[in-house]
Amino acid sequence: MTVRVARWSATHPWRAIAGWFVFLALCIGAMSFSGIKQATDVELGVGEAGRADEIIADAGLERPMTENVLITAEAGAFDSGAADAAATDVAERMSALDEVAGVGEAVPSPDGDALLVPVTMNGDPETADERVQPLLDVTAEVNQAYPDVLVEQAGGASVTDSFFEMLEEDLGTVAMLSVPVTLGVLLLAFGALLAAGVPVLLGISAVGSAIGLYALASHAVPDGGTVTHLVLLIGLAVGVDYSLFYLRREREERAKGRGTIEAVEIAAATSGHSVVVSGVAVAVSMAGLYLAGDMNFASMATGAILVVAVAVAGSLTVLPALLAKLGRFVDRPRVPLVWRLTAQSRPAWFWPTVLRPALRHPGTTLMASVAALIALAIPALGMNLSNPDEENFPRSLPVMQSYDRLVESFPSTGATHVVAVEATGEDIGAVSSALDELSTLVERDESFAHDQAPEIDVAEDGSAAMLTVGVPFSADSDEAERSLEVLRAELIPQAFDGVDAEHAVGGEIAGNFDYTDNLSSKLPWIIAFVLGLAFIMMTLTFRSVVVGLTTVAVNLLSTAAAFGVLALVFQNSWAEGLLDFTSTGSVVVWIPLFLFVILFGLSMDYHVFVVSRIREAVRNGLSTPDAVREGITRSAGVVTSAALVMVAIFALFGAMRVVEMKQMGVGLAVAVLIDAVVIRAVVLPSLMVLLGRANWWAPRFLRGRREDPTREDTRVLEPIG
C-alpha cells in the first residue's frame, strides 16, 4: 500500500501537493469556524469530587468568582487608619466597575495585622480571568495612592490570568524557537537547505492540520486546556522524524545510482512501511489514555492521535510528491563543509566504535548496560506525586507572592472543602439542619480554618445545598488530606445520620485526592493495554514473538530510567539553578502516566526503523552479528538526527517556567536520549547478538510464505568505518 500511494504521488506530484495544501486550508478553516470547545469543571471532574461538582452545577449553586484585596503594612507596624481608608477607597472604586457584582465589608485578620476586602465578580466564573484586568488596575491605583500600606490582589481569576499569560508567553517563545532549532539540526544532518526544509514543512503543516481537525473533535471530546501545546510538541517531533526517515532512505538509494521514482518507491517500501507501523504504535499507545476515564487525558489522546495520523499521511503522500518534483535539487543549496561530511558513502567511525563491545562481548555488555539503567531507575521507586495547583505555580509571579501573603493572613481563603447535598428523600429543611450541625462540628475541629465561619448556600428551588469550609493547609499536604478523611469518614456521617440525602465532598483537596486515586486504580489497566498491544503489533509486524517481547522489555527499561532521572532532578534541589525552578519535592501527578504512554509510542519510531534494517540485512544472508552491525550502523545517522530533533524540541519545553511543562520536557528529552543512544546502540545490539537465530522465532502460523529470516549465513562483512 505504501508503495502504491507513493508511486501515485510521485507520478502526480502537483495533484498530491495541491491536495495536501487544500487539506491544510480546510482544516485551518474548520478551526476558525468551529473554535476549540473547552471542557467545563464538571466535565473534568472525577470520583466523588466530580459528583459534587455535578450536584452544584445542576442546582445552580456555582458561586461567583471572588477576588480578594489584601491590605497589609508596607514596612514596619500596621497602620490601621491608612488601611481602613484604603479599604474604603477600594470598595468605592470596585463598585463602579461593570465587572463587579458587589464588594463585601472589610474583614480584619485574626492577628489584626491585615484587612481583607472580598470583591464578587459578574458573569461566568470559568471566564472570569478574561475580565479581571480592570480590578487589578484599580488595586494598583489604590496601592499607589496609599504608600503607607501594601494593597494587593489575589484570587482565582487573577491567578489564572497571570498564570496563562506567562504560559502563553513561554509557549510563544517555544514556537518561535522550535522551527529554527529543528532546521539547524536538519542542516547538520543533510548539509542542504531544501533537504532540511522539507521535513520542517511537513511537521508544521501536520501541526496546523491536526489542530484544525482537533477543533472539530473537541465538540465531542472537549479540550482539557493543554492539547494544542501537546499537538505542537508531538506533531513537530514525529512529523520531522517520519519525513527524515523517508528522505534519508530515498537519498541513500539515489546515491546508489537509482532514479528518483525508483528511489521513492524503495523508500516507501522500507522507511514508509516503518513510518506506518510506528505511527500506528504511537496512536495505539495514546489510545490507552482513554482508559483513564478522565476528560483531560481523553482530549490529550485525541489530539495526539490526530497529529500522528496526519504526519503519517503526509509522509506517504505529499513527501514523495515533493521528492519527485525536486529530484536531485533536494540537495541544494549545499552547506559546503557539512555537505561533504553527510554525503560521504562510508559510515563514520563513531558508531562502529560504540557497537564494538556489544558485538564482541554481548553478554558482559548487556549485563553492564541493564545494570546501569536499573540503577538509574531506582529513584523512581520513591517518586512523590502532587497535583498542579497553586502550590506548584512559580513564585516569580507577583500574584503568587500576594496569594501566599493572603493565605498566611486568612487561611480560609486558600484550599477549601465543598460539601454538596442533593435533597432526595428529605425536604431542604432537613438538609439545612444537617449542614448547620456539620458547620458546628467543623468549627470545633482543628483540621479546618477558623478565621471565618463556614458558609451555607441553598438552591432557589430547594433541590440542593452546599457548605464551604476553609482549610489552613496547602491543598496537596498530608494535613489537608487528613482533614478530607475526617470530613468524609467522621463528621458528615455524624451530621447526616438519619437524613435521606445524597452528599459528596468536592473542592481543591477532594479533587486532588480523587484525581490521584482514579489514576492509581486505572494505571495497571492502561499499562497492560499499552504493553499488550505493543507486543501484538511488533509480533505481527516482524512475524516474531521474540521481537515483540524484546521490544516491550527494552522500552520498559528506557522508560523506567527516564522516570528515575525525573525523580532525581525534580524531587531534589541540586538542579534548581541549572533548570531555573524551585523544587516542591514531587512530580506532577499526571506526568508519569503521560510520559509512559508518549515514550512507549515514540520509542517505537527508532525501534521499528532499526529492527527493520537488521531484518533486511538478515534476509540478505548476513549472520546475526553482521546484520546487527549493518542495520544499526546504516541507520545510526538518521536515528541520531531524529533523536537530536526530538531532544531539541523537548528541551525547549524544559526551559519553560511552568513546572509541569518543565517536567514533561525534561522527561521526554532524557528518555529519547537514553532510547536512541543507550538502548539502540548498546542494549538492543548485545541482546540480539546473544539471541542469534532465536530473534526471529515465531509459531508456524505467523511465519507466512515469505523467506524465513532465521536463516544464518557464515559470510562476514568487511569492517565498516
Side-chain angles (χ1 to χ4, degrees):
M1 182 193 70
T2 58
V3 175
R4 289 197 298 270
V5 172
R7 183 185 298 118
W8 184 91
S9 298
T11 54
H12 304 83
W14 287 121
R15 293 184 187 179
I17 294 170
W20 179 257
F21 282 101
V22 167
F23 171 69
L24 173 61
L26 289 174
C27 290
I28 294 175
M31 180 178 61
S32 302
F33 175 76
S34 67
I36 296 177
K37 181 184 177 183
Q38 298 295 321
T40 63
D41 290 341
V42 173
E43 290 171 325
L44 292 172
V46 295
E48 183 178 335
R51 177 56 186 150
D53 291 338
E54 287 182 13
I55 293 173
I56 292 168
D58 291 343
L61 281 172
E62 299 102 325
R63 306 189 74 177
M65 182 63 70
T66 299
E67 284 292 297
N68 302 291
V69 178
L70 177 68
I71 305 173
T72 56
E74 178 65 44
F78 179 64
D79 187 340
S80 58
D84 289 337
T88 301
D89 198 0
V90 165
E92 291 176 355
R93 297 191 190 208
M94 291 288 189
S95 299
L97 296 177
D98 294 335
E99 294 80 7
V100 173
V103 180
E105 293 290 332
V107 180
S109 64
D111 59 10
D113 289 339
L115 275 182
L116 173 66
V117 181
V119 181
T120 304
M121 295 185 64
N122 276 318
D124 185 355
E126 294 194 15
T127 60
D129 58 297
E130 301 171 9
R131 306 184 305 276
V132 76
Q133 189 57 49
L135 283 71
L136 292 169
D137 293 339
V138 165
T139 301
E141 292 168 2
V142 174
N143 185 53
Q144 289 184 344
Y146 296 86
D148 294 333
V149 291
L150 175 62
V151 183
E152 50 192 341
Q153 179 179 329
S158 53
V159 168
T160 301
D161 177 63
S162 183
F163 174 77
F164 278 103
E165 182 180 350
M166 178 192 67
L167 181 62
E168 293 301 326
E169 181 182 334
D170 284 0
L171 286 171
T173 303
V174 168
M176 181 179 66
L177 292 177
S178 59
V179 172
V181 167
T182 302
L183 189 60
V185 173
L186 293 176
L187 277 173
L188 292 176
F190 289 112
L193 186 59
L194 281 177
V198 167
V200 174
L201 177 64
L202 180 64
I204 293 173
S205 60
V207 170
S209 300
I211 291 177
L213 292 175
Y214 178 70
L216 297 176
S218 69
H219 291 272
V221 185
D223 181 28
T226 59
V227 177
T228 54
H229 313 147
L230 174 65
V231 169
L232 172 64
L233 179 77
I234 301 300
L236 197 55
V238 300
V240 169
D241 269 14
Y242 293 162
S243 54
L244 184 61
F245 293 159
Y246 202 108
L247 180 54
R248 203 65 180 265
R249 186 58 185 258
E250 188 268 351
R251 195 185 194 197
E252 180 182 322
E253 297 302 324
R254 279 195 293 106
K256 295 177 181 178
R258 292 187 169 91
T260 299
I261 301 298
E262 185 182 5
V264 167
E265 290 183 354
I266 293 174
T270 54
S271 295
H273 177 70
S274 298
V275 163
V276 172
V277 174
S278 173
V280 173
V282 176
V284 165
S285 296
M286 292 303 303
L289 291 178
Y290 289 118
L291 300 180
D294 183 320
M295 184 63 73
N296 196 29
F297 280 127
S299 62
M300 286 183 181
T302 303
I305 290 171
L306 285 173
V307 76
V308 170
V310 172
V312 170
S315 68
L316 298 181
T317 55
V318 70
L319 182 58
L322 287 171
L323 295 180
K325 199 64 187 172
L326 291 171
R328 296 188 180 276
F329 287 101
V330 75
D331 292 328
R332 303 285 193 279
R334 298 172 177 175
V335 181
L337 178 60
V338 179
W339 169 257
R340 283 198 296 272
L341 293 174
T342 59
Q344 61 180 358
S345 57
R346 288 174 59 81
W349 58 269
F350 178 76
W351 288 108
T353 303
V354 172
L355 279 172
R356 191 170 296 133
L359 299 179
R360 292 183 177 178
H361 310 286
T364 304
T365 303
L366 181 63
M367 290 178 61
S369 57
V370 169
L373 289 174
I374 290 175
L376 202 58
I378 287 175
L381 297 175
M383 183 180 288
N384 300 316
L385 301 177
S386 65
N387 282 275
D389 54 20
E390 285 84 355
E391 299 302 319
N392 289 310
F393 288 1
R395 262 44 193 179
S396 58
L397 292 175
V399 70
M400 294 313 304
Q401 298 169 20
S402 300
Y403 172 84
D404 289 340
R405 287 188 285 268
L406 174 67
V407 173
E408 183 180 358
S409 297
F410 297 90
S412 61
T413 60
T416 58
H417 295 300
V418 179
V419 181
V421 186
E422 187 174 40
T424 51
E426 300 280 352
D427 59 26
I428 197 63
V431 170
S432 297
S433 297
L435 287 177
D436 286 335
E437 183 180 350
L438 179 60
S439 178
T440 302
L441 293 173
V442 164
E443 290 179 330
R444 296 173 184 168
D445 197 303
E446 292 303 317
S447 298
F448 307 96
H450 299 145
D451 57 297
Q452 296 184 43
E455 300 180 31
I456 298 177
D457 296 286
V458 180
E460 292 182 1
D461 60 1
S463 62
M466 71 176 186
L467 173 73
T468 304
V469 183
V471 179
F473 315 109
S474 64
D476 214 39
S477 64
D478 292 338
E479 295 86 353
E481 187 174 318
R482 170 59 184 162
S483 72
L484 175 64
E485 182 181 347
V486 168
L487 190 60
R488 283 179 170 175
E490 299 177 18
L491 303 188
I492 289 179
Q494 182 177 343
F496 281 84
D497 184 28
V499 178
D500 183 14
E502 181 185 0
H503 49 73
V505 180
E508 301 98 314
I509 301 167
N512 290 350
F513 178 83
D514 291 346
Y515 185 83
T516 303
D517 185 61
N518 178 66
L519 282 186
S520 300
S521 64
K522 301 293 178 58
L523 187 59
W525 297 102
I526 296 172
I527 292 175
F529 175 85
V530 173
L531 296 184
L533 285 184
F535 168 74
I536 292 170
M537 279 192 56
M538 296 302 291
T539 299
L540 294 178
T541 299
F542 291 98
R543 298 182 182 274
S544 167
V545 172
V546 177
V547 169
L549 290 173
T550 55
T551 297
V552 170
V554 298
N555 286 354
L556 274 177
L557 191 60
S558 65
T559 303
F563 284 178
V565 172
L566 201 63
L568 276 174
V569 171
F570 289 100
Q571 291 186 187
N572 299 284
S573 58
W574 63 270
E576 288 181 336
L578 180 65
L579 295 176
D580 189 24
F581 75 101
T582 300
S583 175
T584 60
S586 61
V587 174
V588 174
V589 65
W590 61 268
I591 293 290
L593 173 58
F594 174 78
L595 288 186
F596 170 77
V597 172
I598 289 288
L599 294 176
F600 221 87
L602 293 182
S603 65
M604 301 292 271
D605 278 2
Y606 310 134
H607 195 80
V608 170
F609 189 72
V610 171
V611 175
S612 295
R613 294 301 294 259
I614 294 173
R615 186 179 65 167
E616 188 179 335
V618 169
R619 283 181 167 173
N620 288 335
L622 300 184
S623 65
T624 298
D626 288 340
V628 168
R629 182 177 59 174
E630 170 79 359
I632 293 180
T633 304
R634 296 299 183 190
S635 62
V638 66
V639 169
T640 303
S641 301
L644 286 176
V645 169
M646 281 199 178
V647 169
I649 294 173
F650 297 153
L652 291 175
F653 279 80
M656 294 178 63
R657 288 171 287 179
V658 180
V659 69
E660 54 194 294
M661 292 294 177
K662 189 181 292 289
Q663 290 177 357
M664 180 178 70
V666 170
L668 288 170
V670 168
V672 169
L673 206 55
I674 291 173
D675 193 72
V677 178
V678 181
I679 297 296
R680 306 305 158 206
V682 182
V683 176
L684 181 65
S686 57
L687 180 60
M688 294 192 78
V689 170
L690 277 176
L691 290 172
R693 293 172 58 89
N695 280 299
W696 315 107
W697 180 85
R700 186 178 298 276
F701 72 90
L702 276 179
R703 296 176 191 172
R705 297 181 180 178
R706 295 186 178 184
E707 179 183 353
D708 187 354
T710 63
R711 177 172 56 85
E712 288 285 2
D713 193 282
T714 56
R715 290 185 298 168
V716 178
L717 287 176
E718 293 299 320
I720 297 176

